[in-house]
Amino acid sequence: MTKSFYVTTPIFYVNDAPHIGHAYTEVAADVITRWHRQSGKDAFLLTGTDEHGEKVLRTALGNNTDPKQWTDRLVESAWLPLLETIDINNQDFIRTTESRHKVAVQKFLKQLHDDGFIYQGSFKGNYCVGCEEYKNDSDLVPGTGDFQGQQVCAIHSKPVEQLNETNYFFKLSDFQQKLLDHYEKNPTFVQPESARNEVISFVRSGLSDLSISRSKERFDWGIDIPWDNSHVTYVWFDALLNYITAIGFGEDDAKLNSLWPADVQVVGKDILRFHAVIWPAMLMAAGLQPPKQVFGHGWLLVGGEKMSKSKLTGIAPNEITDSFGSDAFRYYFMKAIGFGSDGSFSWEDLSARYQAELANGFGNLASRTLAMIHRYFNSAIPAPGTYEPADLAIQEVAKSAVSGADSAMQKVMIHEAIAKTWALVDELNNYITIQEPWALAKDEANRERLATVLYTAAEGLRVLTVLLAPIMPKATNKLFAALASSLGRLSDQKIQDSAVWGQLKPGEKVTELEALFPRLDENQ
Ligand code: MSP
């Protein structure tokens, strides 16, 4: 059986509704998956929700409801609808409260316990409920405002809680050298490079064993430890396992083997250590391979800090998509922020790029090319005559856009792939301005030249629809249907074959195309 390309997002805490920082992770993972699907592979995207633990429990109780009702309501009303809002094509959605997950987590725990990787011990430390994580002193910073004079979590700006517990531990420290060897042998296991360096130096500085259970005297919203039902599983240990419980761990080996190891696991940099240190160690202990790659992306910032609902800086994704549409949302966040770096969102920047790059750049290229084919060739793709150097230059730009974008995507440099593609948008717009088809159309003697120019523009557009399909699925499907329906479905066009020139058949009809990116003033 051939292995599918398997991409995952982190699973999201359902203590609140999603904001654009969450949507950012989802879109990136979706773009990567769609790219590989458009390259002719089977590609599988998993996303879902992380529903256990103290953070979710406290929020539910604070809202006078029980955690199951709370998570059901939020998943239905907010997290599943998010996927529609930003056009995510996921193949599965896992909730950690589902029995398929709970049963498999217990099997995993039992295996590690039987094999001697789990022991009972006691632990004292500072716990941040926001992070659901014990913190070292070096992770804390002086508080401000209400918390002046106290040490607070650097991410949540809230005080940590002193915990003193007897519980079960995973022998993480046994894996220090194995992890370092793995990083060494697999230089792209953690990306980008800055994330890799941070992880390596963290692991070099020494690993402590990990507390993986919580006493039910403290709270019981979690998965029972299979050999001791006075404890529930630590929420991160439970959550990380979703990546294999969703694909058949302990239940369906054929399915597991058709997907695992994951090809790219997309995570925010705040949760990199869980994914690049704890997670591969858990897998090694169970005799499974680590994922091929963990990619740590940056944060959307507001006022220099990570956007978050708890700090009231979260923007709901539909505030943007209601006016700009899901394609523009996806394009903007993937293009404007280098994938792996932090970036600030601003309405001004979004509007400016929408207007310049989408409406006037790509959208206008599409509408004027089709309009001229309608007007001058009675809606039929014209037959090209002899190609001149300017036409051949476009073919070269198309080739290098395809190969440049593809090699950027293999490195998960999404912004770079879009920039390489945009060279073709800009070059085609220049080409049309210079060739002036509207002037050629005035003289019947230029008929063949006019046909060559419009055929070149149409072929260039065809290449763009394929390259941009993973980023802007709605606009590209509309454009492909109007321009190239004789070639079948857009989903069947392979990225790597797209620059082969001459695929559009002269004589085939093009159809009307509505504005792909309506001007904002018309839109609002
Ligand atoms: N539940 C854990 C993940 C468990 S995975 C086994 C979690 N959930 S989360 O809801 O807090 O965050 C989910 C993802 O959203 C993370 O990748 C996080 O980095 C991302 N983001 C949350 N806020 C963000 C920004 N402001 N900017 C970019 N990404 C952000 O952590």
Side-chain angles (χ1 to χ4, degrees), residues 5-16:
F5 196 88
Y6 181 34
V7 181
T8 64
T9 73
I11 50 172
F12 299 86
Y13 287 129
V14 282
N15 59 317
D16 213 334

Side-chain angles (χ1 to χ4, degrees), residues 325-489:
S326 58
D327 279 350
F329 184 103
R330 296 166 61 97
Y331 171 80
Y332 173 75
F333 286 107
M334 292 301 106
K335 171 85 185 294
I337 301 170
F339 198 58
S341 311
D342 292 343
S344 294
F345 163 77
S346 91
W347 288 101
E348 291 73 21
D349 190 32
L350 169 63
S351 306
R353 283 179 184 269
Y354 179 91
Q355 203 61 34
E357 297 166 22
L358 294 180
N360 298 340
F362 178 49
N364 190 36
L365 172 68
S367 56
R368 62 181 176 158
T369 302
L370 282 169
M372 288 189 281
I373 295 175
H374 286 301
R375 193 172 321 132
Y376 305 136
F377 291 94
N378 196 23
S379 307
I381 300 275
T386 313
Y387 288 125
E388 292 188 1
D391 317 324
L392 295 170
I394 291 291
Q395 298 182 22
E396 285 311 308
V397 175
K399 263 193 220 145
S400 64
V402 171
S403 64
D406 194 34
S407 72
M409 280 305 290
Q410 302 310 321
K411 296 185 217 121
V412 198
M413 292 169 71
I414 305 175
H415 56 290
E416 175 87 13
I418 302 178
K420 296 279 181 200
T421 304
W422 229 254
L424 180 57
V425 174
D426 292 339
E427 215 39 65
L428 279 169
N429 269 323
N430 279 340
Y431 170 83
I432 293 178
T433 307
I434 292 168
Q435 299 300 322
E436 297 186 306
W438 48 89
L440 294 172
K442 290 191 179 132
D443 187 344
E444 197 48 39
N446 297 327
R447 187 86 186 144
E448 184 183 316
R449 182 69 201 137
L450 176 64
T452 309
V453 168
L454 288 182
Y455 187 80
T456 299
E459 272 284 287
L461 258 189
R462 177 189 56 74
V463 177
L464 285 174
T465 56
V466 181
L467 282 180
L468 292 172
I471 296 124
M472 297 189 279
K474 289 203 169 82
T476 49
N477 269 298
K478 280 187 205 156
L479 176 54
F480 196 80
L483 177 74
S485 55
S486 63
L487 299 180
R489 292 180 312 176

Side-chain angles (χ1 to χ4, degrees), residues 9-13 19 21-22 24-25 50 55 79 236 239-240 242-243 266-271 275 297-301 306-308:
T9 73
I11 50 172
F12 299 86
Y13 287 129
H19 60 63
H22 303 121
Y24 178 71
T25 304
D50 187 356
K55 174 164 156 149
W79 289 93
W236 267 102
L240 286 163
N242 89 87
Y243 303 126
V266 176
V267 300
K269 64 180 184 181
D270 46 327
I271 56 173
H275 285 85
H297 67 68
W299 286 338
L300 300 193
L301 304 175
K306 177 173 174 241
M307 172 180 295
S308 85

Side-chain angles (χ1 to χ4, degrees), residues 263-305:
D263 292 273
V264 187
Q265 297 209 267
V266 176
V267 300
K269 64 180 184 181
D270 46 327
I271 56 173
L272 184 67
R273 285 183 197 171
F274 289 102
H275 285 85
V277 180
I278 297 172
W279 176 225
M282 287 165 64
L283 290 161
M284 287 172 180
L288 290 166
Q289 287 181 61
K292 292 190 188 153
Q293 183 169 77
V294 174
F295 196 102
H297 67 68
W299 286 338
L300 300 193
L301 304 175
V302 174
E305 282 192 60

